[in-house]
Amino acid sequence: MFLAIEWTSAAFHAFLFAADGTLLGQRQEARGVNHITDGAFETALREIVGDWAAEVGRIYLSGMITSRNGWVETPYAQAPASLTDIAARTVVRHIDGLPPLVFLPGVSVRDPLPDMIRGEELKVFGAMGQSSGLVALPGAHTKWVAVKDGRIEQFATYMSGEITALLKSNSLVGKLIPAQSADNPEAFLRGVRLARDRRIGGHILRRIFSARSLVLFEDLPPADISDYLSGLMIGAEINEVIGEYNSPDKQVRLIGAPALCQRYSLALLEAGMTSTVADNAGIAAFQALRLSHAFY
Amino acid sequence: MFLAIEWTSAAFHAFLFAADGTLLGQRQEARGVNHITDGAFETALREIVGDWAAEVGRIYLSGMITSRNGWVETPYAQAPASLTDIAARTVVRHIDGLPPLVFLPGVSVRDPLPDMIRGEELKVFGAMGQSSGLVALPGAHTKWVAVKDGRIEQFATYMSGEITALLKSNSLVGKLIPAQSADNPEAFLRGVRLARDRRIGGHILRRIFSARSLVLFEDLPPADISDYLSGLMIGAEINEVIGEYNSPDKQVRLIGAPALCQRYSLALLEAGMTSTVADNAGIAAFQALRLSHAFY
């Protein structure tokens, strides 16, 4: 048996595997790296999965737990990087009463701008196997990753999700949003279409104010502002991705929360692209990692 | 004598003029429309300039005081709009013990997206007279206004300033900004140049994360993040303006706070455009308004 842990800034997620890669159990807690004080990572690990740790041959750790602010910092594997490159750059720690702790590296790119991922790379490998294509991991900081033959070739972080949240909660355009409103996919799509409308010059900075001006001219109901803004930002992000990758694949693999992936699917369709959602990509990656020759 | 008041969301600014347009005095207080509760605008007016009000023939009011959230809402003059069009759409109120109150309209555009200004239009008229060109009013919501022969033809609001402030104060990229740091024009220009670098695909959403990743890879000192972000956003805004106005004038008239105008000047130079700063544009507009035939 082996144990694999996705330990992000916000959460702790453990997977217990049989030696052949069969998933035997999983546990999740909201005890992310950012919630652990005084570096008490070992204590948290023992509290959450101490019983499992006693039974396994090794423990893999991935995510922000391997960053400068985590438990053991691992150097980045530089893109292009395969799962084998990841395996080759692990840092192993031995602690009394625990099986070997295998800290996995993140992946970095330096050109044309530096960027880095820690944890997402495993999901990408799990979702893509040895295939090629464009992967998106929607979230506050959406990562867009270009994969070729099972190697991460290039990627970039788009901060649209966090900026949208800031605009909704704390800006002039957010002020008119009612406290409660139902999701409206039509309002979302209206935002996406506006982001793509090339009859209007400029990009997102030129368009955001319309979330207020349309309301003042009674052309957008306040209940729709939130979805409209979300569509505007995700639509703009997809435009930028198309700009960055020049002629990207018409097919995108999505990894993330179902509701958010659904929004990206809708916006991608507007841009003439299709998408599929990868389930359990992290689990598949840990299975592949354990079974890869690099670990024997 | 006449009295003119710029009453914005944030501030109250009064100008006392002689009949021939000579400025006799001015007073400013941080009692903007947003600070007045229970609609007590008359009380505030009397408190701040009651002595002047007793001596003048009329009082002009401009800015958010004429909006739905202000004292007396005036209908927008629709662009293209001249100072004469503004004068033709004033709303006059008579209140015992005060001279006639002349509420000035704002200006709206509807196409390709609705937008509106209240107060800025007077500064634009004051700065431009009967000439033509591109005007920028830098601020949290920067307005870019195209003027032709003394008429406001088209304009748009760019929310870059507010988004930059949100990013600095409350986001992942803002977290590493030290509490105190000196202005660094080189860091600002680095951001402007990155915004303009077309070797990198995408626009602002693709670039913002570099304010964090460059720091993590020790290629940007934390003390420079704030200026770098500011340059990135103002540079992106100018790119969008160039996109919107296709081939804009190479010369831009700036109206606003000197330090911020200075930043716009630097960023415009990087884009191959020059700029001049208009001083006292609001005063010039009130003078022109009072002297225009529309008021006799």
Side-chain angles (χ1 to χ4, degrees):
Chain A
M1 286 196 292
F2 67 100
L3 185 57
I5 297 167
E6 278 176 11
W7 205 336
T8 67
S9 300
F12 178 105
H13 197 163
F15 304 91
L16 181 64
F17 291 100
D20 69 354
T22 306
L23 183 67
L24 302 174
Q26 52 180 309
R27 286 179 196 161
Q28 195 155 13
E29 280 205 25
R31 291 171 76 176
V33 171
N34 288 353
H35 306 125
I36 308 290
T37 49
D38 301 328
F41 299 111
E42 184 184 333
T43 307
L45 178 78
R46 288 184 188 272
E47 285 174 5
I48 306 173
V49 290
D51 53 335
W52 284 354
E55 301 178 52
V56 302
R58 63 175 67 186
I59 301 177
Y60 297 104
L61 296 106
S62 171
M64 289 309 283
I65 192 68
T66 73
S67 74
R68 206 167 298 174
N69 301 322
W71 189 350
V72 170
E73 185 178 5
T74 56
Y76 289 105
Q78 211 162 319
S82 65
L83 194 54
T84 308
D85 296 325
I86 295 287
R89 294 178 76 84
T90 55
V91 173
V92 181
R93 278 293 162 87
H94 297 275
I95 291 177
D96 278 351
L98 286 175
L101 302 175
V102 183
F103 289 87
L104 300 167
V107 179
S108 70
V109 288
R110 295 298 182 100
D111 189 57
L113 284 172
D115 215 313
M116 58 270 175
I117 45 182
R118 281 199 184 269
E120 296 92 342
E121 69 287 349
L122 279 194
K123 297 184 180 182
V124 171
F125 292 128
M128 297 300 280
Q130 291 304 306
S131 63
S132 302
L134 196 54
V135 181
L137 298 105
H141 306 136
T142 298
K143 311 278 182 182
W144 284 86
V145 185
V147 177
K148 195 172 172 196
D149 303 331
R151 293 176 359 143
I152 290 176
E153 293 275 320
Q154 187 61 257
F155 61 88
T157 304
Y158 286 73
M159 286 187 50
S160 341
E162 182 172 18
I163 296 173
T164 307
L166 288 170
L167 285 170
K168 286 182 187 174
S169 65
N170 209 10
S171 80
L172 182 84
V173 296
K175 269 187 193 161
L176 302 172
I177 298 176
Q180 297 199 319
S181 62
D183 274 7
N184 181 352
E186 273 312 311
F188 174 79
L189 280 173
R190 184 175 174 186
V192 173
R193 287 184 195 119
L194 180 67
R196 296 192 56 71
D197 186 347
R198 297 323 308 163
R199 290 169 301 179
I200 305 170
H203 302 282
I204 200 66
L205 298 176
R206 194 265 176 266
R207 284 162 170 74
I208 289 174
F209 188 66
S210 68
R212 182 178 177 96
S213 66
L214 286 168
V215 174
L216 293 196
F217 286 113
E218 294 177 353
D219 188 10
L220 181 75
D224 283 354
I225 300 174
S226 179
D227 285 317
Y228 175 78
L229 262 180
S230 173
L232 207 49
M233 296 298 282
I234 291 175
E237 178 184 307
I238 289 170
N239 293 348
E240 296 206 14
V241 168
I242 291 173
E244 178 171 9
Y245 293 95
N246 280 314
S247 129
D249 298 332
K250 294 295 180 193
Q251 159 79 30
V252 177
R253 196 96 167 113
L254 296 172
I255 302 173
L260 192 54
C261 285
Q262 173 63 15
R263 301 198 144 210
Y264 271 75
S265 291
L266 278 175
L268 284 164
L269 271 181
E270 279 294 318
M273 297 159 84
T274 57
S275 57
T276 54
V277 178
D279 290 322
N280 299 320
I283 295 172
F286 283 124
Q287 290 168 332
L289 185 67
R290 180 64 183 82
L291 299 171
S292 80
H293 288 293
F295 279 86
Y296 287 97
Chain B
M1 285 195 292
F2 66 99
L3 184 57
I5 297 167
E6 278 176 11
W7 204 338
T8 67
S9 300
F12 179 105
H13 198 161
F15 305 90
L16 180 65
F17 291 98
D20 69 354
T22 307
L23 183 67
L24 301 175
Q26 51 181 309
R27 289 181 195 160
Q28 195 155 12
E29 280 205 25
R31 291 171 77 176
V33 171
N34 289 353
H35 307 124
I36 308 291
T37 50
D38 301 327
F41 300 110
E42 185 185 333
T43 307
L45 177 78
R46 288 184 187 272
E47 284 174 7
I48 306 173
V49 290
D51 54 334
W52 285 353
E55 300 177 54
V56 301
R58 63 176 67 186
I59 301 177
Y60 296 104
L61 296 107
S62 171
M64 290 309 284
I65 193 68
T66 73
S67 73
R68 205 165 300 174
N69 302 321
W71 189 350
V72 170
E73 185 178 5
T74 55
Y76 289 105
Q78 212 162 320
S82 65
L83 194 55
T84 309
D85 296 325
I86 294 287
R89 294 178 77 85
T90 56
V91 174
V92 181
R93 278 292 162 88
H94 297 275
I95 292 178
D96 277 351
L98 285 176
L101 303 175
V102 183
F103 290 87
L104 300 167
V107 179
S108 69
V109 288
R110 294 300 181 99
D111 189 58
L113 283 172
D115 215 313
M116 57 272 176
I117 46 182
R118 280 200 186 268
E120 296 92 341
E121 69 287 348
L122 278 195
K123 296 185 181 182
V124 171
F125 292 128
M128 297 301 280
Q130 291 303 307
S131 64
S132 303
L134 196 54
V135 181
L137 297 106
H141 307 137
T142 298
K143 311 277 182 182
W144 284 86
V145 185
V147 177
K148 195 173 172 195
D149 303 330
R151 293 176 1 142
I152 290 177
E153 292 275 321
Q154 187 61 258
F155 61 89
T157 304
Y158 287 73
M159 287 187 49
S160 341
E162 182 171 18
I163 296 173
T164 307
L166 288 170
L167 285 170
K168 286 183 187 174
S169 65
N170 208 11
S171 80
L172 182 84
V173 296
K175 270 186 191 161
L176 302 173
I177 297 177
Q180 296 199 319
S181 62
D183 274 9
N184 181 352
E186 273 312 311
F188 175 79
L189 280 173
R190 185 175 173 185
V192 172
R193 288 185 195 118
L194 181 67
R196 296 192 55 73
D197 186 347
R198 297 324 308 164
R199 291 169 301 180
I200 306 170
H203 303 282
I204 200 67
L205 299 176
R206 194 265 177 266
R207 285 162 169 73
I208 289 174
F209 189 66
S210 68
R212 182 177 177 97
S213 65
L214 286 169
V215 174
L216 293 195
F217 286 113
E218 294 178 354
D219 188 9
L220 181 75
D224 282 355
I225 300 173
S226 180
D227 285 316
Y228 175 79
L229 262 179
S230 174
L232 208 49
M233 297 297 283
I234 291 174
E237 178 184 307
I238 289 170
N239 292 348
E240 296 206 13
V241 169
I242 291 173
E244 177 170 11
Y245 293 95
N246 280 315
S247 128
D249 298 331
K250 295 293 180 193
Q251 160 79 32
V252 177
R253 196 95 168 113
L254 296 172
I255 302 173
L260 192 54
C261 286
Q262 173 62 17
R263 300 198 145 210
Y264 272 75
S265 291
L266 279 174
L268 284 163
L269 271 181
E270 280 293 318
M273 296 158 85
T274 56
S275 57
T276 54
V277 177
D279 290 321
N280 300 320
I283 295 172
F286 283 124
Q287 291 168 331
L289 185 68
R290 179 63 182 84
L291 299 172
S292 80
H293 287 292
F295 279 86
Y296 287 98

